[in-house]
Every structure is written in C-alpha cells, then in structure tokens.
Amino acid sequence: MHRRGVLALAAALGAGALAGCHGPADRLRVGSQKGGTKALMLASDALAGAPYAVEWSEFPAAQNLLEAISSGAVDVGLVGDGPFAFAWQAGQPILAVAARRVVDRPKETLAILVPGASPARTLADLAGRRLATTRGSIGHYLALRALHQAGLSADAVHFVFLSPSDAAAALRSGAVAAWATWTPYTVLALADGARVLVDGHDLMVTTGFDVANRQAVADKRATLTDFLQRESRAQQWALSHREAYAQVLARETGMPLAITRVVAERNAFQAAPLDKALIAAQQQVVDTYAWGKALVPHRTVAEAFQPLI
C-alpha cells in the first residue's frame, strides 16, 4: 500500500461531490480536507441534536476547498493560514470566522521531503532543481519561508505546482527533487520511503482558520456559530480520544490505522482566540508570499476576519 498510498488517497479525494449552490437556512454545507473536519465530527458525534443538516464535501487541498467556498458551493471549511491569506489577496468573497491551533505541534507535520536516496542534505542542495507543491498551499508557504530563512532567493528552486497526488508521483519517479507538503501526505510519503529535508516545525507557527463564504456569514450566522462551537468541543474530545478518532479516520479515508494514528496526533487542533495579536501575525504570511512574488497584496489583512466564536 505504501508505494500507492498517496495516489490512492488523492484519487478518493477527487470523488467528493459538491453540494448545490443554494439551500435552506437549516442546512449547512461544510467542506473538509480528507482526514479533517468530517472524520473528527463523525468520530466525536459532535453534531448530535443539531437543529440543522450538514452536507459534506471533501477536497484534496485547501486551495480546492477555498475555491468551493468562494463560489458559494460550500458555506464553511477549515484551512491553513497560508492558503487563506493567498485566497484573500486573490479577492475571494471569504471571511475567517474562527481560529484553530495545534499546541506543541509535532515534527514532520509540515515538511519539505526528498526521496530517501537523494543526496540533498540542505535546502541549498536543491538550487536549480524542481520542487513540487500546490500553488497557494501551506506547502507553498513553507517552501518560501524556508528559502527566505536560508538566505536563498525565491527563484533558487524551480517551483512546479501540482496536486498532492501528482506531486507524490513526481517525487517517486524523480521528476521533481523535492515536495513541500503537509499531513496526511507527509505521513504517507515518509512511510513510502521519503525523508525530511526541511521541517516546518521551527520555521513557522501555523494557524488554521474556519473560513466561510461572506454571504453565508450574513444568512446563516447562528447556524455557523453553533457548528463552530460543536467543532471546538469535538477538537477537545479528540485530545483524549485519539484512538477512536484514528479508527473513524481510517474508515473515512481508507488509510491504514497505523497511518491515521499519526495523523490524529499531528492534527490535534484546538480553538484559539481570533484576537488582534493573531490577526496582526498574519501579515507575515502575506509578506512571505509577496517576497516570493507569488501574489501582489491589495487587501488589508485585518478586514479578512469576522470572529463568530
């Protein structure tokens, strides 16, 4: 399974059907990255007694989820700060309505990976070579942060923007020298023989945001608030029920239980205050993308946030 694991996972991700663009106020359309919100809410039974129905859509990466939120096909979903900043500066009609963080985030959660036999030992060893990631993803942000911190230029490597499944295949075949990615893909790739070249653990403090379509915030405010509160309780539940979470995660994703146990540990999010200090810290994300010429900032960071809890 390890040799085909990432490809099989990503193929399953593409099968998630989007809900329709319009619906009653007693229905909430929630997007989930595989191994994310849906498995957590099912495992914890956090939606028991909810006075509304939840319709799930699943995505391989935050970029795809954010596009669905922007289009109105999805009301809300959890993404990383890098993808959110990228989408906000692209002009998407979205708002961050809650914040999540992993306390004492384990290593190898976010990483730049190389094949096990690669001669590369530092980021500088990748100079002039191809590095795969998903455009606007947390992996893209990690790669730019790592280059900046290493004193290298943003064009020291040749970025190749691919979906997670294509990036996994490219790394395995040698079409790219490295892959900047996140959990669960780091877990699968490491099990398949890749190794960590750069760990994001000491490079950045990542924050997750529940991001909602602007119209959904106006039309479904009470429903969104209730869902976010239930999500917070589910995340707290998962901290002391990781085995139960991992079991559901395995069932939902098709990943082996040994893999989902690691994913459950690394993605142990908790609610974080969406306060002025956290919002101000997001300017670094925008500045990093701008340094890498990945975007041209034209929206004020503070206007991207409207806390509901």
Side-chain angles (χ1 to χ4, degrees), residues 32-41 58 78 245 249 253 267:
S32 175
Q33 296 183 68
K34 202 70 170 183
T37 310
K38 182 183 178 184
L40 172 68
M41 298 299 272
E58 297 192 84
L78 180 64
Y245 177 28
L249 197 54
T253 63
N267 280 348

Side-chain angles (χ1 to χ4, degrees), residues 106-123:
K107 292 191 175 183
E108 300 181 349
T109 302
L110 305 168
I112 298 176
L113 306 175
V114 295
S118 170
R121 289 293 179 266
T122 69
L123 195 58

Side-chain angles (χ1 to χ4, degrees), residues 9-185:
L9 171 62
L13 298 175
L18 288 178
C21 293
H22 301 283
D26 61 353
R27 179 181 59 165
L28 192 66
R29 298 161 304 174
V30 183
S32 175
Q33 296 183 68
K34 202 70 170 183
T37 310
K38 182 183 178 184
L40 172 68
M41 298 299 272
L42 292 177
S44 63
D45 201 25
L47 292 170
Y52 50 87
V54 170
E55 294 185 2
W56 295 102
S57 298
E58 297 192 84
F59 303 88
Q63 179 191 34
N64 312 96
L65 172 51
L66 285 161
E67 289 171 354
I69 295 172
S70 178
S71 72
V74 166
D75 294 320
V76 66
L78 180 64
V79 303
D81 51 4
F84 174 65
F86 197 88
W88 172 254
Q89 292 300 335
Q92 294 186 12
I94 55 177
L95 292 166
V97 293
R100 316 286 176 180
R101 274 190 174 161
V102 178
V103 178
D104 297 325
R105 187 184 71 210
K107 292 191 175 183
E108 300 181 349
T109 302
L110 305 168
I112 298 176
L113 306 175
V114 295
S118 170
R121 289 293 179 266
T122 69
L123 195 58
D125 294 332
L126 296 181
R129 305 189 70 188
R130 291 156 62 91
L131 184 149
T133 194
T134 303
R135 183 175 178 84
S137 69
I138 196 69
H140 190 185
Y141 176 47
L142 166 62
L144 290 174
R145 283 287 299 161
L147 288 166
H148 187 270
Q149 289 292 101
L152 300 169
S153 65
D155 59 1
V157 298
H158 297 302
F159 279 98
V160 180
F161 296 118
L162 300 171
S163 68
S165 60
D166 289 342
L171 185 72
R172 187 179 301 115
S173 70
V176 299
W179 178 22
T181 192
W182 60 93
T183 298
Y185 301 111

Side-chain angles (χ1 to χ4, degrees), residues 218-286:
D219 295 344
K220 302 182 180 182
R221 189 180 189 92
T223 301
L224 280 168
T225 299
D226 180 83
F227 177 83
L228 296 172
Q229 291 170 339
R230 291 171 184 270
E231 184 183 10
S232 295
R233 293 195 291 271
Q235 289 169 335
Q236 197 63 36
W237 171 90
L239 295 177
S240 55
H241 296 82
R242 287 183 180 170
E243 180 63 21
Y245 177 28
Q247 294 276 355
V248 174
L249 197 54
R251 186 175 71 241
E252 285 292 308
T253 63
M255 292 187 290
L257 183 58
I259 297 291
T260 61
R261 282 173 175 151
V262 180
V263 174
E265 177 186 2
R266 293 185 186 171
N267 280 348
F269 282 97
Q270 299 181 60
L274 189 44
D275 54 22
K276 291 181 179 179
L278 188 152
I279 292 171
Q282 297 310 300
Q283 187 63 51
Q284 182 184 71
V285 181
V286 176

